[in-house]
Amino acid sequence: MLSTGKPLPASTRESSPVANGFEKPMPSLTQNGTRLKFPAGFLWGTATAPTQVEGHIHNEWTDFTAQDGSSCRVACDSYHRYAEDIEWMSKLSVNSYRFGIEWSRLQSAPFAPLNQNELARYVDQLDRLIAADITPMVVLHHFSNPPWINAAGGWTNAPTIPAFVDYVGKLVSALKDRVYLWNTFNEPDTYAGLAYVLGGFPPQRKWKLGQFRRVITHMARAHEQASRIIRERGHGRRKPEVGIAKNWTFFHAYKKFSPWDRLSASLCHYSFNKFVLDAFLGGGRRNASTFIGLNYYGRVRFHHFNAMIPASGASETRLKDFGFVCDDMLERYPKGLGKILPYLQRKFRLPIYITEHGAASADEKFRERDLLNYLTVLHGAIEQGADVRGFFYWSLLDNFEWQFGYSKKFGLIGVDFSDAALPRTMKPLGEIYREVCSRNTLGH
Ligand code: FCB
């Protein structure tokens, strides 16, 4: 059996066929009058990624056809409609926005000067956010690269590191008066896993474990170097903060005593959680980050080698028969948030931002329960001492969900993709989230 190094914290070892924190209804905060106040200055935000919302992009996703036959070519057209999207953010009462700046728009070759027109558009977006009292958190890499990086082997190729660091240095010098929160890499584990092991993302390679490891190792080195540059050159109005966004998924065996399912869960935990966390934050690398970004959605349980989640094709009826509560992607596991936050806090002693959480479903009541459950657990973890500074709902808009296309509805704001005008509308969950953000409190 593959060793996972040091014993896992008890919190990541637990496997129970029932309890996930969703079965027992959480106290209905809006009904019993409980009020849970969050710390002063807490950032309440939403999140997006360039490929998923901007449209008119030239990277490896441009010619990619998703499972629903769609592409990202127009997406939400936020490239042109960012001013309107910021108005929607104001309607949501968020005070922060986590979004990506697309490298392929800004450099046409390694070490080239930044494209000034494209830079001006991002500067305008930042100025409008700041004018609306919305603090930007900028993501530097979110599952996409310029074509000339991909043509040379992407992140399997070591020279990608200095090219990226050069880009980051130029961008940070240009934006330091407007941005102090920098997210270098979004979910390197998901990116490397889907692109080189599971085949879901371009270049759609399968079981290339050596390439998976190389991508992670190169990105971790790039993170360390980019962080140094951000701290050296990024001091504008505020001291810069820098970190990655680590996706954390719990992997468990459905039946505690099934050795093969336990092995599958351990292998996934080792590859996607432990190995990646160690690469980016282990040993001296911990000092490269001033915060940890945590993307937390839930868990995956294995049954006879099958990952029992909708995203892997498990049917709704089958999952119901097992008693699993899932959105259109993953099993919900709010309790897990109460385990991973203290674990990260103890291990790294760095402030944490929840850089993503959200649920995809057409059932808004389900999404409301999901949000209240996760935020209740988050509040409890903060009370217990976790230094969490913000929460970013995934996502501002319904958008292009990578290999699944437009079929997964994560937005607080709906987008009608059947109408060429792409009209936006506030969803019921947007109204609920607005209450939370504007009061910095859960419940009335
Ligand atoms: C995360 C990604 C984000 C989006 C959500 C649903 O893994 O960072 O782009 O796909 O999942």
Side-chain angles (χ1 to χ4, degrees), residues 48-49 52 98 142-143 186-187 189-190 194 201 245 247 295 297 327 329 356 358-360 394-395 399-404 408 410:
T48 61
Q52 295 181 275
R98 173 179 179 264
H142 196 135
F143 302 169
N186 176 71
E187 299 191 359
D189 41 85
T190 307
L194 278 155
F201 286 6
N247 170 57
N295 292 1
Y297 288 87
D327 73 340
M329 297 286 275
E356 286 182 26
W394 186 272
S395 178
N399 61 42
F400 177 76
E401 179 52 36
W402 311 112
Q403 71 273 42
F404 302 106
K408 311 287 180 189
F410 277 101

Side-chain angles (χ1 to χ4, degrees), residues 379-392:
H379 186 271
I382 295 174
E383 295 267 281
Q384 299 295 310
D387 181 9
V388 183
R389 307 258 171 108
F391 175 92
F392 294 81

